[in-house]
Amino acid sequence: MSDPRPTLLAVPDPVPLPAAARQLAFDELDTPLYDTTFVVVDLETTGTSPHGDSITEIGAVKVRGGEVLGEFATLVNPGFAIPPAIVQITGITTAMVYEAPRIEAVLPGFLEFAAGAVLVAHNARFDTAFLKAAAARQDITWPNPQVLCTVKLARRVLTRDEAPSARLGVLAQILGASTTPTHRALDDARATVDVLHALIGRVGNQGVHSLTELLDYLPGVTGTQRAKRTFAGDLPTSPGVYLFRGPSDEVLYIGTAVNLRRRVRNYFTGSETRGRMKEMVALAIRVDHVVCAHGLEAGVRELRLLAAHAPPYNRRSKFPRRGWWLTISDEAFPRLVAVRTPTRTAVGPFGSRADAVDVAATIAEFAGLRTCATRLTRAARHTCLPAVVGGCPAARPAADLDATGYAPAVEAVRDLFTGRSDALLRAMLDRIETHSAAEHFEAAARLRDRTATVVTMLHRTQRLAALARIPELIIALPDGAGGWEFSVIRYGRLAAAGTATRGTPPMAVVDQIVAAAETVIPDLGDAASCEPPPDDTIPPLRGAPPEEVGVIARWLAKPGARIVRTSEGYREPLHGAARWKGWAQLARTAATTRSAEEQYLAER
């Protein structure tokens, strides 16, 4: 029996190895291929499913500039018997791996061995899927290295006449590899090294000399597209918004970036030049940019530019008003209706009309709000009769309800929306308890999921409205380098942004950006006066674009964010949905767990 213990075969290293595990920055991808560190890996497994099967052997070779820097080889105990069909292919038996370490002990060592290098594999999608699945089971964050697949490279470099198949054994023979693949991990990794070097030699004759150029070359990027990388040459490395412009100076596409130069250069590599993006890049004649102080300013400016230009290659331009809102209709016997433009009393935005209608049905059921579409005048009477299943929630046995008797249902919904009362939410929770006590668990679970959605949407709207009502709010967020990113928010809109680097007095920067901040006048709509609302209510959004307020709310919720100063306290309704937020999160977790269990049982 071969020794199952992991082995690290040390080879003198002429160049210092990378010190830490991290994904290569884009500028580092310009490193010449002869100076790029590759870790070529091969796995043997018990089958083809990364979630149902396990790794039985890992073999890896670290190379740079044609020199072998080190090797990593170990058998892995999968924890169950290896299928006979796999034994026949690999020669690895259950007895061979009996005393081998489990993947929990092997994976951290392999990730350390591969840290900072480009990961190479023959059919890389297969090998990386198993490694990612193993990392996920151990709660190890996948380092997301740059990955190169020699199958894809071979299909790009070699013609069908040269290589009718891209199998490793075929390529090793055609390209003169010194190691013959044997379906054992280290042998196959060594053979893949020889194949990689032979393929790199081929592309070198075509002017491909760096990793960036190799990644450009893989998907067949044209010379014209590759030449457009110069568009990014003069862009700064700061955060901002970029605009691709077409032949008539029209805006084709708008996006945001943490590093403008790096992000725009990505559009001229294989990873970004597919489908519509490839078409957009082919049309572009230049790239304009707007430098921003930080990510929040970039996100807000992107929204405003999208609204101004409606660029054809942005998905948002096809659906400029993507959100749906629930509002109370303006009629004698009001109903909940789904609309595109929010009114002063509305909940949203919802991703689809169907989602809005589902929430409307739940609220109407507990409020007694009608769902029938009959047009009723103020002098009319609601005559829907109760139904055994479904039916109009406003139905009464006497089938005789006038506008005055119907009004409390409408007021209950208004109170729910504005946070004056959570009586309807309590009624939903009481019904869930009733179902559970009666052991009607399926009904309880369905109502729990519906109620959690209602709570989530109410809290989202009330949180946005709480931001939109504040005349001035100053937010600070750590920049990760000892400095601060500041944002001045006025009535839910970004009015100014700035940064204070480490060592700079932050409050002096705050005073400067506040002095130069944009003046924002709230749109009071049909409000009768400018008097503030009662303390226990939150008014609806006052003309502030809901998407912009949403971006700001998510920024405020980031870890480390804090309020520097505010003209009045940030507050949500006393009886709003915020107090039920924790319950809704638990409900969603329970629903997700239940769904996963049902799927597991169905698959068995």
Side-chain angles (χ1 to χ4, degrees):
M1 183 185 301
S2 61
D3 187 357
R5 291 172 298 177
T7 58
L8 278 172
L9 309 180
V11 179
D13 183 8
V15 184
L17 294 176
R22 60 188 177 86
Q23 184 177 3
L24 295 177
F26 199 93
D27 292 339
E28 293 176 285
L29 299 183
D30 282 330
T31 303
L33 287 172
Y34 64 77
D35 202 27
T36 299
T37 303
F38 297 98
V39 168
V40 182
V41 63
D42 185 80
L43 306 179
E44 301 302 332
T45 65
T46 60
T48 59
S49 171
H51 302 289
D53 294 305
S54 296
I55 298 170
T56 59
E57 188 176 34
I58 299 178
V61 182
K62 181 181 294 186
V63 294
R64 180 166 59 234
E67 296 286 339
V68 175
L69 307 180
E71 293 184 336
F72 181 100
T74 180
L75 290 168
V76 180
N77 187 340
F80 53 87
I82 300 175
I86 300 299
V87 173
Q88 185 177 4
I89 294 172
T90 65
I92 301 175
T93 66
T94 303
M96 291 171 61
V97 299
Y98 180 75
E99 295 183 356
R102 299 295 295 269
I103 189 62
E104 292 82 1
V106 172
L107 184 62
F110 170 74
L111 293 178
E112 183 179 355
F113 177 78
V118 177
L119 201 62
V120 181
H122 201 69
N123 190 12
R125 184 169 58 178
F126 175 87
D127 297 273
T128 56
F130 270 89
L131 292 170
K132 286 179 180 179
R137 285 192 290 268
Q138 299 179 49
D139 289 329
I140 295 176
T141 301
W142 179 248
N144 198 27
Q146 182 67 55
V147 177
L148 183 62
C149 179
T150 48
V151 170
K152 293 182 179 180
L153 183 58
R155 287 175 175 164
R156 177 74 174 96
V157 174
L158 304 176
T159 65
R160 290 288 182 181
D161 292 336
E162 289 180 284
S165 169
R167 293 175 56 188
L168 181 59
V170 174
L171 295 178
Q173 182 178 4
I174 292 172
L175 298 174
S178 60
T179 302
T180 301
T182 61
H183 285 295
R184 291 299 301 272
L186 187 58
D187 283 346
D188 288 5
R190 289 168 173 167
T192 304
V193 169
D194 292 339
V195 169
L196 173 66
H197 286 161
L199 294 174
I200 287 177
R202 292 284 191 97
V203 298
N205 296 329
Q206 302 179 44
V208 176
H209 300 294
S210 70
L211 185 58
T212 301
E213 292 169 339
L214 183 60
L215 296 175
D216 285 352
Y217 178 84
L218 268 176
V221 177
T222 66
T224 302
Q225 291 171 327
R226 191 177 299 115
K228 289 185 177 182
R229 288 177 60 201
T230 56
F231 290 175
D234 295 330
L235 295 182
T237 58
S238 53
V241 182
Y242 54 89
L243 302 87
F244 280 83
R245 290 193 177 270
S248 300
D249 210 39
E250 72 277 22
V251 177
L252 300 174
Y253 183 80
I254 297 174
T256 61
V258 175
N259 183 318
L260 283 166
R261 183 189 304 167
R262 182 188 307 165
R263 183 68 186 99
V264 172
R265 286 176 67 179
N266 277 343
Y267 284 91
F268 310 106
T269 66
S271 60
E272 294 284 356
T273 52
R274 300 189 183 100
R276 285 172 55 81
M277 287 297 99
K278 184 174 183 178
E279 181 180 289
M280 185 276 293
V281 170
L283 290 173
I285 62 168
R286 77 171 192 274
V287 179
D288 292 340
H289 70 280
V290 179
V291 174
C292 298
H294 47 64
L296 176 57
E297 184 184 6
V300 168
R301 288 193 180 278
E302 180 191 33
L303 289 175
R304 296 177 183 179
L305 288 168
L306 285 170
H309 295 282
Y313 288 92
N314 280 88
R315 190 184 303 272
R316 172 187 164 87
S317 297
K318 290 186 176 182
F319 309 99
R321 293 187 299 176
R322 296 175 63 185
W324 289 86
W325 297 77
L326 273 185
T327 187
I328 301 173
S329 63
D330 184 14
E331 51 187 322
F333 288 76
R335 299 167 294 149
L336 284 174
V337 293
V339 296
R340 284 292 197 181
T341 303
T343 61
R344 284 185 56 79
T345 305
V347 169
F350 294 85
S352 69
R353 188 179 187 278
D355 292 341
V357 170
D358 288 344
V359 169
T362 302
I363 294 174
E365 176 185 346
F366 286 87
L369 209 64
R370 75 185 186 103
T371 56
C372 59
T374 307
R375 290 185 175 275
L376 300 174
T377 64
R378 182 162 295 279
R381 309 184 80 83
H382 184 266
T383 58
C384 288
L385 291 171
V388 176
V389 177
C392 180
R396 297 290 183 274
D400 190 8
L401 185 66
D402 61 12
T404 302
Y406 182 75
V410 181
E411 192 60 27
V413 175
R414 293 187 193 279
D415 289 346
L416 178 69
F417 282 10
T418 58
R420 285 192 294 264
S421 171
D422 58 1
L424 294 182
L425 291 179
R426 293 179 182 276
M428 296 176 196
L429 295 173
D430 289 343
R431 181 81 60 84
I432 294 171
E433 292 295 333
T434 301
H435 285 321
S436 297
E439 298 186 356
H440 298 157
F441 300 119
E442 291 293 330
R446 287 193 296 270
L447 181 56
R448 175 204 64 200
D449 297 344
R450 293 165 59 198
T451 303
T453 303
V454 172
V455 170
T456 300
M457 296 309 301
L458 285 171
H459 179 250
R460 178 187 300 175
T461 306
Q462 291 165 357
R463 182 182 60 169
L464 299 187
L467 278 174
R469 78 185 302 280
I470 302 176
E472 183 174 276
L473 172 68
I474 303 171
I475 306 171
L477 186 73
D479 65 1
W484 292 94
E485 298 173 346
F486 296 109
S487 305
V488 178
I489 313 301
R490 290 177 175 171
Y491 292 110
R493 294 179 63 91
L494 179 66
T499 60
T501 58
R502 183 175 183 177
T504 302
M507 294 311 297
V509 175
V510 169
D511 292 340
Q512 290 174 3
I513 63 174
V514 168
E518 173 188 353
T519 298
V520 178
I521 301 175
D523 179 8
L524 299 179
D526 59 356
S529 70
C530 296
E531 292 297 320
D535 288 340
D536 63 342
T537 65
I538 293 294
L541 302 182
R542 297 182 170 185
E547 288 188 332
E548 180 170 332
V549 185
V551 170
I552 294 169
R554 289 191 292 274
W555 189 263
L556 184 58
K558 283 179 173 287
R562 61 185 66 181
I563 296 175
V564 177
R565 192 166 67 220
T566 179
S567 56
E568 59 183 70
Y570 172 85
R571 61 188 185 275
E572 296 181 24
L574 178 62
H575 299 288
R579 63 169 56 188
W580 305 108
K581 179 182 176 183
W583 177 90
Q585 290 175 337
L586 291 174
R588 286 195 297 272
T589 301
T592 302
T593 303
R594 182 169 179 266
S595 176
E597 291 174 349
E598 291 175 347
Q599 183 178 359
Y600 172 76
L601 292 174
E603 290 175 350
R604 289 177 63 88

